[in-house]
């Protein structure tokens, strides 16, 4: 990810070279990436030539150093985020960066997919007691079970994200159904989604499946230098993603099925009742073949209760096609 041109988020992601677009778009948290290059890469990795069109230096180390914020810049960003009222954190790409973010007292530490199988790092991070968000790209389910077990031993406050580490992500490789697997396997923690696909529809589908955290890379311009920009959202897309997410969250509502107050008008007009299929004399013992189901005036006994009437006596004469009311049934 091109750090100086992009930032990610915690609950929703945010764009740009400042945290202002994050706030303006409605994001909950602006999340960057923090690396200590000597702790993240060995010397040969930093010294290898880097001739990509996305390169900012002759070697990979020079390229990465160009993109990295200093500790003072992170402190400045954190201060500014606090002033304007948005959460601020970063992915800790190595143990040294994790320790620095812990010192900054960030609201949570993001564990990138490339470190989710780094069990010593996970253990050390979990022991800080700080909330954790863990992406699981490039891992299999056995590893994810170990991730859960290791963190859970030391820290109750964490979430696991379904993620496929491809930029941009082809739809056939998204596998949103893994969210269901995680929800079933780890019911005591929130499950989320970290997406690198183009557009917002897949992320919205994840919300509808119950994802509690959505992480997206965001850029100010998808044509910028840097191989993540193509898989990122521009501010207008972020606005729509967050707006639509809030609508979906509202629409998800309660898992309890009930007749709602808003349905009363329709029920009063179209809800059906039991009516007499033929005239029923007073004292008759009721049976199912005596009932029709119609919209009636007045509204009578609901058809789902007809089985409960079998064997009971009617205490008045009921004319053909009249509604059968509770007051007509012998108690």
């Amino acid at each position: 990810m091109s750090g100086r041109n992009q930032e990610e988020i915690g609950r929703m992601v945010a764009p740009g070279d400042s945290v202002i677009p994050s706030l303006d778009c409605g994001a909950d948290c602006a999340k960057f990436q923090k690396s200590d290059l000597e702790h993240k890469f060995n010397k040969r990795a930093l010294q290898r030539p880097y001739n990509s069109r996305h390169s900012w230096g002759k070697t990979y180390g020079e390229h990465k150093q160009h993109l990295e914020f200093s500790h003072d810049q992170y402190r400045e960003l954190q201060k500014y985020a606090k002033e304007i009222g948005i959460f601020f954190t970063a992915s800790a790409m190595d143990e040294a960066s994790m320790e620095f973010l812990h010192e900054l007292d960030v609201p949570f530490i993001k564990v990138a997919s490339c470190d989710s199988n780094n069990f010593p790092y996970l253990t050390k991070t979990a022991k800080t007691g700080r909330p954790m968000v863990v992406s699981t790209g490039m891992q299999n389910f056995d590893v994810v079970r170990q991730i859960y077990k290791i963190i859970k031993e030391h820290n109750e406050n964490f979430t696991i994200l379904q993620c496929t580490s491809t930029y941009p992500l082809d739809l056939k490789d998204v596998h949103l159904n893994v969210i269901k697997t995680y929800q079933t396997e780890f019911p005591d923690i929130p499950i989320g989604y970290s997406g690198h696909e183009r557009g917002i529809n897949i992320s919205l589908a994840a919300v509808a499946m119950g994802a509690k955290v959505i992480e997206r890379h965001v850029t100010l311009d998808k044509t910028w230098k840097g191989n993540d920009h193509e898989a990122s959202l521009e501010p207008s897309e972020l606005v729509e993603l967050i707006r639509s997410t809030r609508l979906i969250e509202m629409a998800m509502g309660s898992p309890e099925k009930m007749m709602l107050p808003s349905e009363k008008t329709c029920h009063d007009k179209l809800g059906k009742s039991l009516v007499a299929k033929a005239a029923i004399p007073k004292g008759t013992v009721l049976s199912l073949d005596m009932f029709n189901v119609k919209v009636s005036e007045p509204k009578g006994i609901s058809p789902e209760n007809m089985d409960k009437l079998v064997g009971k006596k009617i205490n008045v004469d009921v004319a053909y096609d009249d509604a059968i009311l509770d007051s007509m049934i012998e108690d």
Side-chain angles (χ1 to χ4, degrees):
M1 171 169 160
S2 299
R4 296 198 177 202
N5 292 329
Q6 292 180 314
E7 56 185 57
E8 301 173 79
I9 74 144
R11 167 80 179 143
M12 280 297 159
V13 204
D17 288 327
S18 77
V19 293
I20 289 180
S22 310
L23 182 68
D24 291 344
C25 291
D28 294 325
C29 180
K31 185 188 74 65
F32 291 76
Q33 276 189 185
K34 178 70 184 80
S35 297
D36 186 307
L37 298 186
E38 291 186 357
H39 284 81
K40 182 178 178 181
F41 302 98
N42 71 3
K43 290 182 179 180
R44 292 186 65 178
L46 293 173
Q47 292 169 357
R48 69 178 172 87
Y50 193 54
N51 301 317
S52 165
R53 63 186 177 88
H54 300 302
S55 175
W56 293 93
K58 294 180 180 180
T59 66
Y60 195 62
E62 290 176 359
H63 163 76
K64 296 298 289 184
Q65 188 59 54
H66 175 82
L67 300 172
E68 194 63 39
F69 287 135
S70 69
H71 284 194
D72 285 342
Q73 287 173 314
Y74 267 94
R75 294 186 182 98
E76 183 180 355
L77 283 168
Q78 183 187 46
K79 179 182 177 182
Y80 186 58
K82 184 176 182 179
E83 288 174 356
I84 66 173
I86 190 170
F87 289 115
F88 169 85
T89 191
S91 296
M93 307 303 288
D94 50 78
E95 287 191 13
S97 296
M98 182 275 292
E99 291 170 353
F100 170 68
L101 292 172
H102 184 46
E103 291 173 6
L104 283 185
D105 195 27
V106 293
F108 66 91
I109 290 176
K110 168 68 192 301
V111 178
S113 293
C114 57
D115 272 308
S116 59
N117 64 344
N118 182 351
F119 296 155
Y121 164 88
L122 284 183
T123 300
K124 191 170 184 178
T125 305
K127 285 182 176 180
T128 67
R130 195 166 298 280
M132 298 168 63
V133 176
V134 185
S135 280
T136 57
M138 303 180 286
Q139 312 303 335
N140 61 45
F141 196 38
D142 286 340
V143 172
V144 175
R145 286 192 179 101
Q146 292 181 76
I147 291 169
Y148 170 86
K149 183 178 179 180
I150 288 168
I151 298 176
K152 188 74 173 179
E153 183 179 352
H154 306 288
N155 193 335
E156 294 283 334
N157 197 353
F158 67 103
T159 179
I160 290 176
L161 312 184
Q162 160 59 358
C163 175
T164 302
S165 300
T166 309
Y167 307 82
L169 175 58
D170 192 285
L171 298 187
K172 67 179 176 59
D173 291 329
V174 172
H175 295 294
L176 284 181
N177 278 326
V178 173
I179 293 174
K180 295 180 182 178
T181 302
Y182 286 177
Q183 289 168 335
T184 300
E185 185 78 10
F186 315 120
D188 56 333
I189 63 170
I191 301 300
Y193 175 68
S194 177
H196 309 304
E197 72 280 355
R198 297 179 179 91
I200 66 172
N201 291 338
I202 302 303
S203 294
L204 292 176
V207 174
M209 292 177 69
K212 303 303 183 184
V213 174
I214 300 293
E215 178 188 41
R216 290 297 302 268
H217 293 204
V218 178
T219 180
L220 295 180
D221 188 337
K222 294 181 183 181
T223 67
W224 272 347
K225 186 175 177 179
N227 58 6
D228 273 15
H229 291 287
E230 186 180 356
S232 300
L233 302 179
E234 292 183 347
S236 61
E237 293 176 296
L238 178 62
V239 168
E240 182 57 28
L241 174 59
I242 295 173
R243 186 193 73 84
S244 297
T245 293
R246 303 310 184 204
L247 293 177
I248 292 171
E249 288 175 334
M250 182 184 298
M252 293 297 285
S254 168
E256 181 182 355
K257 181 58 182 172
M258 67 189 82
M259 185 188 298
L260 298 174
S262 63
E263 295 179 294
K264 185 178 186 303
T265 299
C266 185
H267 182 260
D268 289 347
K269 182 179 180 181
L270 298 176
K272 293 190 174 181
S273 303
L274 298 181
V275 301
K277 185 180 289 187
I280 307 174
K282 178 180 178 180
T284 299
V285 177
L286 297 172
S287 59
L288 292 178
D289 59 1
M290 297 178 181
F291 307 137
N292 272 334
V293 177
K294 297 183 178 182
V295 176
S296 69
E297 182 62 39
K299 189 173 291 298
I301 295 172
S302 293
E304 72 266 21
N305 293 319
M306 67 172 69
D307 286 345
K308 299 176 183 177
L309 302 182
V310 174
K312 294 189 176 182
K313 289 183 179 181
I314 199 85
N315 60 20
V316 295
D317 291 329
V318 181
Y320 160 73
D321 210 41
D322 275 1
I324 298 175
L325 311 178
D326 282 325
S327 60
M328 299 174 176
I329 307 303
E330 187 175 276
D331 186 3

